[in-house]
Amino acid sequence: MRTSPERRLTRYALPAALLAAGLALLMPGNGRLWDTLNRALPSPPDPRVVVVGIDDASLRDYGRLSGWPSDLYGQALRTLDEAGAQTIGLDVRLSDLVQNGAGLPGVFSRPNVVLATAPGETTRLPPGWRSQVGVSALNVSPDGRVRSFQTAYPDRNGTLQPSFARQLAVSAGQTVPLGTMPRLLRHVRHDPDRLGAIPFRDVVNGNVRFGDLQGRVVLIGLTAESLPGTARRDADGEVTPGVLLQARAVSTLLGAPFLRLPLWLTLLLCVGVAVLAVMVRGLWGFVIALAALALAVPLWQLNVLFPGVTVSLAAILGTALVGLERWTTLRNLGTRDALTGVGNRLAFTRAVEHRWPGREGRPIGLLLVDLSGFRKVNETYGRAAGDEVLRDLAGRLQTHKRRGDVIFRWGPDEFAVLLDNAGPQDLSRFSEKVQQTLEGLTYRDLPLRASVGGATTGPEIRTPVDLVEAASRSRYRMKYQREQGE
C-alpha cells in the first residue's frame, strides 16, 4: 500500500527520540547559557555579607602583611565583636598567621571565626583550637574567569576538605553538604547605594558604624591593587579581588539554591520535543526550539538551571529529520511511481545508462511483465480496484527481487525488472519464478493473466534499445503461445 506523508513522518519519530536521548546524555548541562544568564540577570548584593578590605592604605600604615602581629588582627576582631558581627572569615593564608606570634590561639581560636587555608596547605593547628578552617579556592575556567566554586576540595590524599565559603555559610546557620559538584557563582549587580569594602584600618581604629556590621557575615581579605596575584576575573571579565569573589560564593550559599533538572527529566524533555517537532512538521519545530530556549529565562528567575540549549537542539534535530524526509521525497519525486512506490520510466532510463558501460563484466538482464484483463477490472470495479491490483503485482515482484535488482513501472499495466549480473540461465530461473508467482492472479471474479518476457545483454545487444526490444519480443511471443494453446 502507498505510504502517506503522515506515516512516513511517524517512522522518523523513533530515530528522533533516540538521537535526542543521546544528545541529552552528551549535554546534560548548558554552562555557556547559564553563564550568559548569570551576567545578563545578576543578583542584588546580599546585605548579610560585608567585606573588610586590606587595601593599599592599610598596607602603608601597617607594613607588609606577612609581618603583621596577631594583636593587629585581634584589635579588628574586637571591633567586629563589639559591633555584633555574626561570623568572621579571615581570607589570609593561615601559614602567615602561624608564624606571626605566640598569641595566635588567644586571638583566633573562637567559634565564630573561620580561617582560610591554601589548597594543599597542611598547617597543624594548636591543641584546643576552636576556629574552623576552609580551603580558599575557586574554580577558574580555561579562559581565566571564575564562574563556579565547590563546597569541598580533595587534598593530596583524596580526603574532602570543606571550602572557605562553605564553612562561613555553615557558621552563619546554613546547612551546606560537602561536595565536589561545581556550583554556579552568582554574579552580583553593582549597587552604587550600598557600602563597598570597609577599609581594614578603619575597623582596627573603630571608625565604623556598628549598624553596618551587626548580625553580618564579615570577610577580611586583600583588596590592595599593589599586590599582584590576589585578584581574578569574574564572569564579566572584570578583575576582582579574591575576597570579593569569596563573598559572592558565601552569598550564593546563603541564598536560594539553584536547582538542576535530574538527568531523567532532561532526557524526557529532549525526547518529547524532538518527537513533537517531527509530528508538527514544517517550521513549527523552530518555534518549539525558540520556546525551549526562551523558557530558560523565567526558570532562571526561579533558581532553576534549565538546559534550554540542549532541549532546543533536540527540537531542531527533529525538524532536521523532517527536512531530510522532505528532501528525500523531492529528490525521488521525478523518478518514483507514486502509486506503487517503485521507480518510473525515467528512473529505468537512468539505471540502464548507469549500468550499461559495465555490461561485459556484469550482464544486464531485463524482464518485462504485463497484465491481461487489467482494463476490465477498471471498467467493472473502478480505478481504485485497478490501483489495488497494481500494488499487489508490484509487491509480488518485490518478493523475488535479488540484491542489485530494481523494479520499475513501465506502463499503465506493465512492469520492468532490471536484473544485475544475470546471464541467460539466471534470467530463465528468475522468469520462471515470477511466472509461477503470478499464476492464478485474480481480482474478485475477474481472472488476470501475466505475460513475462526477458532478455539479457550479449554480442547481439548493442544498445539499451536493443535490450528492450528483445525483451518485448520475448513477452509477445510468450503471450502468443499461450493464446494459441487455449
PDB file of all heavy atoms in Angstrom, residues 46-76:
ATOM      1  N   ASP A  46      23.978  40.724  48.501  1.00  0.00           N
ATOM      2  CA  ASP A  46      23.365  40.190  49.715  1.00  0.00           C
ATOM      3  C   ASP A  46      23.749  41.098  50.888  1.00  0.00           C
ATOM      4  O   ASP A  46      24.936  41.236  51.213  1.00  0.00           O
ATOM      5  CB  ASP A  46      23.856  38.766  49.969  1.00  0.00           C
ATOM      6  CG  ASP A  46      23.034  38.053  51.029  1.00  0.00           C
ATOM      7  OD1 ASP A  46      22.671  38.705  52.024  1.00  0.00           O
ATOM      8  OD2 ASP A  46      22.734  36.863  50.840  1.00  0.00           O
ATOM      9  N   PRO A  47      22.784  41.739  51.544  1.00  0.00           N
ATOM     10  CA  PRO A  47      23.118  42.668  52.640  1.00  0.00           C
ATOM     11  C   PRO A  47      23.704  41.977  53.862  1.00  0.00           C
ATOM     12  O   PRO A  47      24.264  42.651  54.744  1.00  0.00           O
ATOM     13  CB  PRO A  47      21.767  43.322  52.965  1.00  0.00           C
ATOM     14  CG  PRO A  47      20.734  42.328  52.527  1.00  0.00           C
ATOM     15  CD  PRO A  47      21.322  41.639  51.325  1.00  0.00           C
ATOM     16  N   ARG A  48      23.597  40.642  53.917  1.00  0.00           N
ATOM     17  CA  ARG A  48      24.127  39.933  55.077  1.00  0.00           C
ATOM     18  C   ARG A  48      25.631  39.736  55.018  1.00  0.00           C
ATOM     19  O   ARG A  48      26.248  39.341  56.011  1.00  0.00           O
ATOM     20  CB  ARG A  48      23.445  38.570  55.204  1.00  0.00           C
ATOM     21  CG  ARG A  48      21.967  38.628  55.528  1.00  0.00           C
ATOM     22  CD  ARG A  48      21.341  37.262  55.442  1.00  0.00           C
ATOM     23  NE  ARG A  48      21.324  36.758  54.063  1.00  0.00           N
ATOM     24  CZ  ARG A  48      20.862  35.570  53.710  1.00  0.00           C
ATOM     25  NH1 ARG A  48      20.415  34.734  54.648  1.00  0.00           N
ATOM     26  NH2 ARG A  48      20.869  35.197  52.450  1.00  0.00           N
ATOM     27  N   VAL A  49      26.236  39.970  53.831  1.00  0.00           N
ATOM     28  CA  VAL A  49      27.665  39.720  53.649  1.00  0.00           C
ATOM     29  C   VAL A  49      28.392  41.055  53.503  1.00  0.00           C
ATOM     30  O   VAL A  49      28.032  41.874  52.645  1.00  0.00           O
ATOM     31  CB  VAL A  49      27.911  38.831  52.415  1.00  0.00           C
ATOM     32  CG1 VAL A  49      29.407  38.565  52.257  1.00  0.00           C
ATOM     33  CG2 VAL A  49      27.153  37.512  52.545  1.00  0.00           C
ATOM     34  N   VAL A  50      29.399  41.275  54.340  1.00  0.00           N
ATOM     35  CA  VAL A  50      30.186  42.512  54.339  1.00  0.00           C
ATOM     36  C   VAL A  50      31.653  42.147  54.169  1.00  0.00           C
ATOM     37  O   VAL A  50      32.131  41.158  54.737  1.00  0.00           O
ATOM     38  CB  VAL A  50      29.983  43.308  55.649  1.00  0.00           C
ATOM     39  CG1 VAL A  50      30.859  44.550  55.666  1.00  0.00           C
ATOM     40  CG2 VAL A  50      28.514  43.685  55.804  1.00  0.00           C
ATOM     41  N   VAL A  51      32.360  42.928  53.361  1.00  0.00           N
ATOM     42  CA  VAL A  51      33.789  42.704  53.122  1.00  0.00           C
ATOM     43  C   VAL A  51      34.596  43.813  53.803  1.00  0.00           C
ATOM     44  O   VAL A  51      34.287  45.006  53.644  1.00  0.00           O
ATOM     45  CB  VAL A  51      34.098  42.681  51.607  1.00  0.00           C
ATOM     46  CG1 VAL A  51      35.606  42.612  51.369  1.00  0.00           C
ATOM     47  CG2 VAL A  51      33.403  41.491  50.953  1.00  0.00           C
ATOM     48  N   VAL A  52      35.595  43.402  54.563  1.00  0.00           N
ATOM     49  CA  VAL A  52      36.585  44.325  55.120  1.00  0.00           C
ATOM     50  C   VAL A  52      37.862  44.147  54.308  1.00  0.00           C
ATOM     51  O   VAL A  52      38.474  43.075  54.335  1.00  0.00           O
ATOM     52  CB  VAL A  52      36.832  44.042  56.612  1.00  0.00           C
ATOM     53  CG1 VAL A  52      37.987  44.901  57.130  1.00  0.00           C
ATOM     54  CG2 VAL A  52      35.575  44.285  57.427  1.00  0.00           C
ATOM     55  N   GLY A  53      38.222  45.189  53.564  1.00  0.00           N
ATOM     56  CA  GLY A  53      39.335  45.070  52.627  1.00  0.00           C
ATOM     57  C   GLY A  53      40.653  45.557  53.177  1.00  0.00           C
ATOM     58  O   GLY A  53      40.732  46.661  53.736  1.00  0.00           O
ATOM     59  N   ILE A  54      41.677  44.726  53.042  1.00  0.00           N
ATOM     60  CA  ILE A  54      43.042  45.152  53.371  1.00  0.00           C
ATOM     61  C   ILE A  54      43.560  45.868  52.133  1.00  0.00           C
ATOM     62  O   ILE A  54      44.103  45.259  51.211  1.00  0.00           O
ATOM     63  CB  ILE A  54      43.920  43.947  53.751  1.00  0.00           C
ATOM     64  CG1 ILE A  54      43.299  43.206  54.946  1.00  0.00           C
ATOM     65  CG2 ILE A  54      45.343  44.390  54.085  1.00  0.00           C
ATOM     66  CD1 ILE A  54      44.042  41.932  55.325  1.00  0.00           C
ATOM     67  N   ASP A  55      43.364  47.187  52.105  1.00  0.00           N
ATOM     68  CA  ASP A  55      43.685  47.970  50.920  1.00  0.00           C
ATOM     69  C   ASP A  55      45.107  48.510  50.988  1.00  0.00           C
ATOM     70  O   ASP A  55      45.867  48.231  51.923  1.00  0.00           O
ATOM     71  CB  ASP A  55      42.661  49.096  50.750  1.00  0.00           C
ATOM     72  CG  ASP A  55      42.545  49.969  52.001  1.00  0.00           C
ATOM     73  OD1 ASP A  55      43.350  49.767  52.932  1.00  0.00           O
ATOM     74  OD2 ASP A  55      41.662  50.833  52.025  1.00  0.00           O
ATOM     75  N   ASP A  56      45.461  49.311  49.980  1.00  0.00           N
ATOM     76  CA  ASP A  56      46.820  49.865  49.922  1.00  0.00           C
ATOM     77  C   ASP A  56      47.090  50.805  51.090  1.00  0.00           C
ATOM     78  O   ASP A  56      48.222  50.863  51.614  1.00  0.00           O
ATOM     79  CB  ASP A  56      47.008  50.611  48.591  1.00  0.00           C
ATOM     80  CG  ASP A  56      47.047  49.667  47.407  1.00  0.00           C
ATOM     81  OD1 ASP A  56      47.823  48.697  47.459  1.00  0.00           O
ATOM     82  OD2 ASP A  56      46.299  49.876  46.428  1.00  0.00           O
ATOM     83  N   ALA A  57      46.049  51.544  51.530  1.00  0.00           N
ATOM     84  CA  ALA A  57      46.249  52.455  52.661  1.00  0.00           C
ATOM     85  C   ALA A  57      46.570  51.678  53.938  1.00  0.00           C
ATOM     86  O   ALA A  57      47.421  52.091  54.747  1.00  0.00           O
ATOM     87  CB  ALA A  57      44.993  53.303  52.859  1.00  0.00           C
ATOM     88  N   SER A  58      45.906  50.533  54.116  1.00  0.00           N
ATOM     89  CA  SER A  58      46.186  49.711  55.302  1.00  0.00           C
ATOM     90  C   SER A  58      47.597  49.163  55.259  1.00  0.00           C
ATOM     91  O   SER A  58      48.289  49.095  56.292  1.00  0.00           O
ATOM     92  CB  SER A  58      45.175  48.566  55.396  1.00  0.00           C
ATOM     93  OG  SER A  58      43.854  49.063  55.515  1.00  0.00           O
ATOM     94  N   LEU A  59      48.065  48.784  54.092  1.00  0.00           N
ATOM     95  CA  LEU A  59      49.431  48.272  53.969  1.00  0.00           C
ATOM     96  C   LEU A  59      50.456  49.373  54.228  1.00  0.00           C
ATOM     97  O   LEU A  59      51.531  49.113  54.791  1.00  0.00           O
ATOM     98  CB  LEU A  59      49.630  47.663  52.575  1.00  0.00           C
ATOM     99  CG  LEU A  59      48.831  46.390  52.278  1.00  0.00           C
ATOM    100  CD1 LEU A  59      49.067  45.935  50.846  1.00  0.00           C
ATOM    101  CD2 LEU A  59      49.194  45.277  53.250  1.00  0.00           C
ATOM    102  N   ARG A  60      50.148  50.596  53.804  1.00  0.00           N
ATOM    103  CA  ARG A  60      51.079  51.699  54.083  1.00  0.00           C
ATOM    104  C   ARG A  60      51.163  51.980  55.580  1.00  0.00           C
ATOM    105  O   ARG A  60      52.238  52.314  56.100  1.00  0.00           O
ATOM    106  CB  ARG A  60      50.630  52.956  53.348  1.00  0.00           C
ATOM    107  CG  ARG A  60      50.907  52.930  51.846  1.00  0.00           C
ATOM    108  CD  ARG A  60      50.778  54.311  51.238  1.00  0.00           C
ATOM    109  NE  ARG A  60      49.434  54.869  51.421  1.00  0.00           N
ATOM    110  CZ  ARG A  60      48.453  54.733  50.541  1.00  0.00           C
ATOM    111  NH1 ARG A  60      48.671  54.032  49.422  1.00  0.00           N
ATOM    112  NH2 ARG A  60      47.279  55.270  50.780  1.00  0.00           N
ATOM    113  N   ASP A  61      50.036  51.832  56.273  1.00  0.00           N
ATOM    114  CA  ASP A  61      50.031  52.115  57.717  1.00  0.00           C
ATOM    115  C   ASP A  61      50.710  51.025  58.530  1.00  0.00           C
ATOM    116  O   ASP A  61      51.443  51.314  59.498  1.00  0.00           O
ATOM    117  CB  ASP A  61      48.595  52.270  58.215  1.00  0.00           C
ATOM    118  CG  ASP A  61      47.969  53.579  57.761  1.00  0.00           C
ATOM    119  OD1 ASP A  61      48.711  54.426  57.205  1.00  0.00           O
ATOM    120  OD2 ASP A  61      46.736  53.738  57.934  1.00  0.00           O
ATOM    121  N   TYR A  62      50.499  49.752  58.130  1.00  0.00           N
ATOM    122  CA  TYR A  62      50.946  48.642  58.981  1.00  0.00           C
ATOM    123  C   TYR A  62      52.076  47.817  58.389  1.00  0.00           C
ATOM    124  O   TYR A  62      52.547  46.874  59.026  1.00  0.00           O
ATOM    125  CB  TYR A  62      49.760  47.714  59.288  1.00  0.00           C
ATOM    126  CG  TYR A  62      48.584  48.440  59.906  1.00  0.00           C
ATOM    127  CD1 TYR A  62      47.320  48.347  59.332  1.00  0.00           C
ATOM    128  CD2 TYR A  62      48.736  49.231  61.047  1.00  0.00           C
ATOM    129  CE1 TYR A  62      46.228  49.013  59.877  1.00  0.00           C
ATOM    130  CE2 TYR A  62      47.649  49.902  61.610  1.00  0.00           C
ATOM    131  CZ  TYR A  62      46.399  49.793  61.013  1.00  0.00           C
ATOM    132  OH  TYR A  62      45.336  50.460  61.552  1.00  0.00           O
ATOM    133  N   GLY A  63      52.495  48.125  57.190  1.00  0.00           N
ATOM    134  CA  GLY A  63      53.615  47.410  56.599  1.00  0.00           C
ATOM    135  C   GLY A  63      53.188  46.141  55.859  1.00  0.00           C
ATOM    136  O   GLY A  63      52.003  45.925  55.563  1.00  0.00           O
ATOM    137  N   ARG A  64      54.170  45.305  55.572  1.00  0.00           N
ATOM    138  CA  ARG A  64      53.913  44.074  54.827  1.00  0.00           C
ATOM    139  C   ARG A  64      52.983  43.142  55.613  1.00  0.00           C
ATOM    140  O   ARG A  64      53.086  43.018  56.819  1.00  0.00           O
ATOM    141  CB  ARG A  64      55.218  43.351  54.529  1.00  0.00           C
ATOM    142  CG  ARG A  64      56.136  44.102  53.577  1.00  0.00           C
ATOM    143  CD  ARG A  64      57.420  43.348  53.370  1.00  0.00           C
ATOM    144  NE  ARG A  64      57.151  42.002  52.859  1.00  0.00           N
ATOM    145  CZ  ARG A  64      58.085  41.076  52.696  1.00  0.00           C
ATOM    146  NH1 ARG A  64      59.348  41.345  53.027  1.00  0.00           N
ATOM    147  NH2 ARG A  64      57.761  39.902  52.235  1.00  0.00           N
ATOM    148  N   LEU A  65      52.083  42.476  54.864  1.00  0.00           N
ATOM    149  CA  LEU A  65      51.077  41.635  55.504  1.00  0.00           C
ATOM    150  C   LEU A  65      51.698  40.502  56.309  1.00  0.00           C
ATOM    151  O   LEU A  65      51.230  40.163  57.399  1.00  0.00           O
ATOM    152  CB  LEU A  65      50.136  41.065  54.422  1.00  0.00           C
ATOM    153  CG  LEU A  65      48.923  40.288  54.916  1.00  0.00           C
ATOM    154  CD1 LEU A  65      47.985  41.201  55.676  1.00  0.00           C
ATOM    155  CD2 LEU A  65      48.189  39.648  53.737  1.00  0.00           C
ATOM    156  N   SER A  66      52.777  39.916  55.790  1.00  0.00           N
ATOM    157  CA  SER A  66      53.395  38.781  56.482  1.00  0.00           C
ATOM    158  C   SER A  66      54.039  39.187  57.802  1.00  0.00           C
ATOM    159  O   SER A  66      54.338  38.335  58.641  1.00  0.00           O
ATOM    160  CB  SER A  66      54.441  38.124  55.569  1.00  0.00           C
ATOM    161  OG  SER A  66      55.444  39.084  55.209  1.00  0.00           O
ATOM    162  N   GLY A  67      54.255  40.487  58.017  1.00  0.00           N
ATOM    163  CA  GLY A  67      54.882  40.944  59.260  1.00  0.00           C
ATOM    164  C   GLY A  67      53.908  41.475  60.275  1.00  0.00           C
ATOM    165  O   GLY A  67      54.320  41.958  61.342  1.00  0.00           O
ATOM    166  N   TRP A  68      52.614  41.400  59.988  1.00  0.00           N
ATOM    167  CA  TRP A  68      51.636  41.925  60.951  1.00  0.00           C
ATOM    168  C   TRP A  68      51.591  41.044  62.206  1.00  0.00           C
ATOM    169  O   TRP A  68      51.536  39.801  62.117  1.00  0.00           O
ATOM    170  CB  TRP A  68      50.246  41.946  60.319  1.00  0.00           C
ATOM    171  CG  TRP A  68      50.053  43.042  59.308  1.00  0.00           C
ATOM    172  CD1 TRP A  68      50.995  43.872  58.809  1.00  0.00           C
ATOM    173  CD2 TRP A  68      48.817  43.399  58.695  1.00  0.00           C
ATOM    174  NE1 TRP A  68      50.455  44.731  57.912  1.00  0.00           N
ATOM    175  CE2 TRP A  68      49.106  44.477  57.807  1.00  0.00           C
ATOM    176  CE3 TRP A  68      47.516  42.948  58.784  1.00  0.00           C
ATOM    177  CZ2 TRP A  68      48.128  45.083  57.039  1.00  0.00           C
ATOM    178  CZ3 TRP A  68      46.534  43.557  58.025  1.00  0.00           C
ATOM    179  CH2 TRP A  68      46.832  44.616  57.165  1.00  0.00           C
ATOM    180  N   PRO A  69      51.583  41.677  63.361  1.00  0.00           N
ATOM    181  CA  PRO A  69      51.433  40.891  64.599  1.00  0.00           C
ATOM    182  C   PRO A  69      49.985  40.422  64.764  1.00  0.00           C
ATOM    183  O   PRO A  69      49.046  41.029  64.235  1.00  0.00           O
ATOM    184  CB  PRO A  69      51.826  41.878  65.685  1.00  0.00           C
ATOM    185  CG  PRO A  69      51.510  43.223  65.108  1.00  0.00           C
ATOM    186  CD  PRO A  69      51.792  43.121  63.639  1.00  0.00           C
ATOM    187  N   SER A  70      49.818  39.380  65.514  1.00  0.00           N
ATOM    188  CA  SER A  70      48.473  38.837  65.716  1.00  0.00           C
ATOM    189  C   SER A  70      47.596  39.824  66.480  1.00  0.00           C
ATOM    190  O   SER A  70      46.366  39.805  66.349  1.00  0.00           O
ATOM    191  CB  SER A  70      48.551  37.501  66.450  1.00  0.00           C
ATOM    192  OG  SER A  70      49.219  37.659  67.700  1.00  0.00           O
ATOM    193  N   ASP A  71      48.202  40.707  67.274  1.00  0.00           N
ATOM    194  CA  ASP A  71      47.409  41.671  68.025  1.00  0.00           C
ATOM    195  C   ASP A  71      46.664  42.629  67.110  1.00  0.00           C
ATOM    196  O   ASP A  71      45.586  43.132  67.481  1.00  0.00           O
ATOM    197  CB  ASP A  71      48.309  42.480  68.973  1.00  0.00           C
ATOM    198  CG  ASP A  71      48.817  41.629  70.125  1.00  0.00           C
ATOM    199  OD1 ASP A  71      48.219  40.565  70.360  1.00  0.00           O
ATOM    200  OD2 ASP A  71      49.803  42.041  70.772  1.00  0.00           O
ATOM    201  N   LEU A  72      47.225  42.879  65.915  1.00  0.00           N
ATOM    202  CA  LEU A  72      46.555  43.769  64.969  1.00  0.00           C
ATOM    203  C   LEU A  72      45.238  43.153  64.508  1.00  0.00           C
ATOM    204  O   LEU A  72      44.201  43.827  64.450  1.00  0.00           O
ATOM    205  CB  LEU A  72      47.472  44.037  63.775  1.00  0.00           C
ATOM    206  CG  LEU A  72      47.010  45.121  62.798  1.00  0.00           C
ATOM    207  CD1 LEU A  72      46.868  46.465  63.486  1.00  0.00           C
ATOM    208  CD2 LEU A  72      47.981  45.232  61.622  1.00  0.00           C
ATOM    209  N   TYR A  73      45.303  41.876  64.227  1.00  0.00           N
ATOM    210  CA  TYR A  73      44.065  41.172  63.877  1.00  0.00           C
ATOM    211  C   TYR A  73      43.131  41.122  65.081  1.00  0.00           C
ATOM    212  O   TYR A  73      41.901  41.227  64.939  1.00  0.00           O
ATOM    213  CB  TYR A  73      44.371  39.743  63.418  1.00  0.00           C
ATOM    214  CG  TYR A  73      45.096  39.659  62.094  1.00  0.00           C
ATOM    215  CD1 TYR A  73      46.428  39.293  62.053  1.00  0.00           C
ATOM    216  CD2 TYR A  73      44.437  39.936  60.904  1.00  0.00           C
ATOM    217  CE1 TYR A  73      47.102  39.209  60.854  1.00  0.00           C
ATOM    218  CE2 TYR A  73      45.116  39.847  59.697  1.00  0.00           C
ATOM    219  CZ  TYR A  73      46.448  39.485  59.676  1.00  0.00           C
ATOM    220  OH  TYR A  73      47.095  39.396  58.476  1.00  0.00           O
ATOM    221  N   GLY A  74      43.740  40.953  66.259  1.00  0.00           N
ATOM    222  CA  GLY A  74      42.923  40.893  67.470  1.00  0.00           C
ATOM    223  C   GLY A  74      42.116  42.164  67.677  1.00  0.00           C
ATOM    224  O   GLY A  74      40.949  42.109  68.093  1.00  0.00           O
ATOM    225  N   GLN A  75      42.746  43.330  67.416  1.00  0.00           N
ATOM    226  CA  GLN A  75      42.020  44.590  67.567  1.00  0.00           C
ATOM    227  C   GLN A  75      40.845  44.679  66.583  1.00  0.00           C
ATOM    228  O   GLN A  75      39.751  45.112  66.953  1.00  0.00           O
ATOM    229  CB  GLN A  75      42.983  45.765  67.335  1.00  0.00           C
ATOM    230  CG  GLN A  75      42.336  47.132  67.460  1.00  0.00           C
ATOM    231  CD  GLN A  75      41.720  47.372  68.822  1.00  0.00           C
ATOM    232  OE1 GLN A  75      42.308  47.016  69.858  1.00  0.00           O
ATOM    233  NE2 GLN A  75      40.514  47.947  68.852  1.00  0.00           N
ATOM    234  N   ALA A  76      41.059  44.210  65.336  1.00  0.00           N
ATOM    235  CA  ALA A  76      39.982  44.225  64.344  1.00  0.00           C
ATOM    236  C   ALA A  76      38.855  43.288  64.763  1.00  0.00           C
ATOM    237  O   ALA A  76      37.664  43.629  64.641  1.00  0.00           O
ATOM    238  CB  ALA A  76      40.535  43.817  62.980  1.00  0.00           C
TER     239      ALA A  76
END
